[in-house]
Amino acid sequence: MVYETVIKNVRLLEQSSLFHIGIINGKIVRMTEDIIHGEIEWEAGGGIALPPFVEMHTHLDTVLTSGKDLKNLSGTLMEGIELWQERKAKLTYEDVLERAEKAIKLLIQHGILYVRAAVDISDPELTALKAIISLRAKLQHIIDIQIIAFPQEGIISSPKNKDRLVEAVHLGADAVSAVPHLEHTRENGIKSIQECFTIAEHYGSFVHIFSDEVDDEHSRFLEVIADLAISKGMGERVTVSHANAMAYYSDSYAAKVISLVKKADITVVSCPLINCTMQGRFDSYPKGRGITRIKELNEANVNVCIAHDDIQTPFYPFGNGNILQAVHMGAHLAHMSGETERVEMVNMITKNGAKAFGIKDHYGIEVGNRANIIILPVDNVVDMLSKQPACRYVIRDGQIIVETKPSEPTWHKDSLISLT
Ligand SMILES: [Zn+2]
């Protein structure tokens, strides 16, 4: 039998044996160590095959704006917010579209075919939201984009954002958000969470709240979100990003919150790159690491995801869309460097992400599933996290979207001699 496409010599994570994948009509129909042939054949050279990565938290409206006239001299969140207020006023539909499309290409090259992007809805015209919605439609055949309607300036302290959240859902946003720790008072923070849940419940949207992104043990909104998710039975559709304050909670209160989060069945997304850059700024030494309790949440079987978050914005100047950089940083900061923990860190951008994203029945390298496959030119997880390469192949429904040849140094005899 000849298959439409065969990917030769791949391996699964932490497995030594090589096998070949036969694809027909965009589906995986065979996985075997026997030699098989296809009309099209791609050589994976022993690289690791994974389902596409899931990026659960990025921003496509702010992306790729740092540099040039937008320089954050102090590197702080406060200066980032000030700079963004100025830049935001100049946003145009074309400007957002152009940068977002560039960013999506970066994400795809690094194996991300599912991305959840926050878009600020403070603008009365919703210009950025409309641009990202059109981009989502344009690229729907190669990448799944979910959009979070994100009220950067709050819901209670910026009341017009409540109507805009609803308008955003009508326009096509998948998730609604709140930023309770930025509201003026604790009480308003709770109200903003309630408003967010009410809208999501009414329209069947995802809830994706940016919560407790402060180094303050008194920032305790995660318990409120978990409690609402339990009482409304919405846990599977609820995600919380950041939850940095949990690092500052007492161990006994943290244990209570973690068990509540587990009971609620909500997802916690940590963004180690920007979290460790932005948090701890008020600390003397020793400085906080800035991340939530990834290790303890994972040990309690909470669905934890890792995300890259900002890419070259006034808030975070680095990044090229490579989510493995975030996993690498997370493994360091969370002390998740153990043998099995390293694999669990990769789960946080694959199957845990798939659960939070709501991918139900076709995710994973298995016979019968859609042939959505990425191949990384590495032998194992340590290699993957150390080298953080772009994908050798990124495949969607059996079609290759992009391939990147691994870089190869060329050693010259004379230079070798001069080194010795
Ligand atoms: Zn973010």
Side-chain angles (χ1 to χ4, degrees), residues 132-200:
I132 303 298
I133 286 172
S134 76
L135 186 66
R136 178 179 66 184
K138 181 182 167 189
L139 301 178
Q140 62 180 337
H141 58 297
I142 53 172
I143 185 167
D144 286 6
I145 301 173
Q146 288 180 348
I147 298 167
I148 308 169
F150 176 55
Q152 173 83 63
E153 285 144 29
I155 299 174
I156 309 304
S157 52
S158 185
K160 287 184 178 162
N161 277 347
K162 188 177 153 191
D163 292 338
R164 287 190 201 123
L165 281 174
V166 174
E167 193 183 343
V169 171
H170 283 300
L171 285 170
D174 304 277
V176 286
S177 189
V179 213
H181 57 282
L182 293 184
E183 298 286 356
H184 295 171
T185 64
R186 158 88 186 167
E187 290 70 25
N188 284 356
I190 293 172
K191 277 187 207 157
S192 74
I193 294 168
Q194 289 164 338
E195 295 286 4
C196 183
F197 267 84
T198 302
I199 296 168

Side-chain angles (χ1 to χ4, degrees), residues 241-306:
S241 279
H242 300 307
N244 315 93
M246 193 192 283
Y248 291 83
Y249 297 163
S250 69
D251 288 345
S252 80
Y253 178 62
K256 177 210 157 180
V257 175
I258 290 171
S259 75
L260 205 55
V261 167
K262 171 63 189 155
K263 188 176 174 193
D265 195 20
I266 63 182
T267 292
V268 175
V269 177
S270 181
C271 310
L273 293 170
I274 193 163
N275 287 160
C276 75
T277 305
M278 284 299 165
Q279 306 308 133
R281 294 262 174 174
F282 294 101
D283 293 358
S284 179
Y285 290 95
K287 289 184 184 292
R289 292 187 166 218
I291 53 160
T292 192
R293 299 192 185 210
I294 293 174
K295 192 182 184 91
E296 290 74 15
L297 286 160
N298 184 62
E299 281 171 3
N301 290 318
V302 170
N303 196 50
V304 180
C305 296
I306 297 291

Side-chain angles (χ1 to χ4, degrees), residues 26 44 50 56 97 102 254 278 296 377 385:
L50 284 168
M56 277 298 291
L97 209 53
K102 268 189 203 163
M278 284 299 165
E296 290 74 15
L385 296 186

Side-chain angles (χ1 to χ4, degrees), residues 57-59 62 118 150 152 210 213 241-242 271 274-275 308-310 315:
H57 180 139
T58 192
H59 301 257
T62 60
F150 176 55
Q152 173 83 63
F210 294 22
E213 193 184 4
S241 279
H242 300 307
C271 310
I274 193 163
N275 287 160
H308 189 297
D309 204 344
D310 287 53
F315 307 97

Side-chain angles (χ1 to χ4, degrees), residues 21-40:
I21 301 175
I23 298 168
I24 294 177
N25 286 335
K27 291 215 158 120
I28 299 172
V29 293
R30 185 101 189 267
M31 292 168 59
T32 177
E33 292 182 22
D34 299 336
I35 299 292
I36 56 174
H37 294 288
E39 290 164 22
I40 301 168

Side-chain angles (χ1 to χ4, degrees), residues 54-59 114-118 144-148 174-175 206-208 237-239 356-358:
V54 184
E55 169 60 77
M56 277 298 291
H57 180 139
T58 192
H59 301 257
Y114 303 95
V115 57
R116 182 175 282 185
D144 286 6
I145 301 173
Q146 288 180 348
I147 298 167
I148 308 169
D174 304 277
F206 289 102
V207 170
H208 193 136
R237 286 193 281 132
V238 176
T239 294
F357 201 87

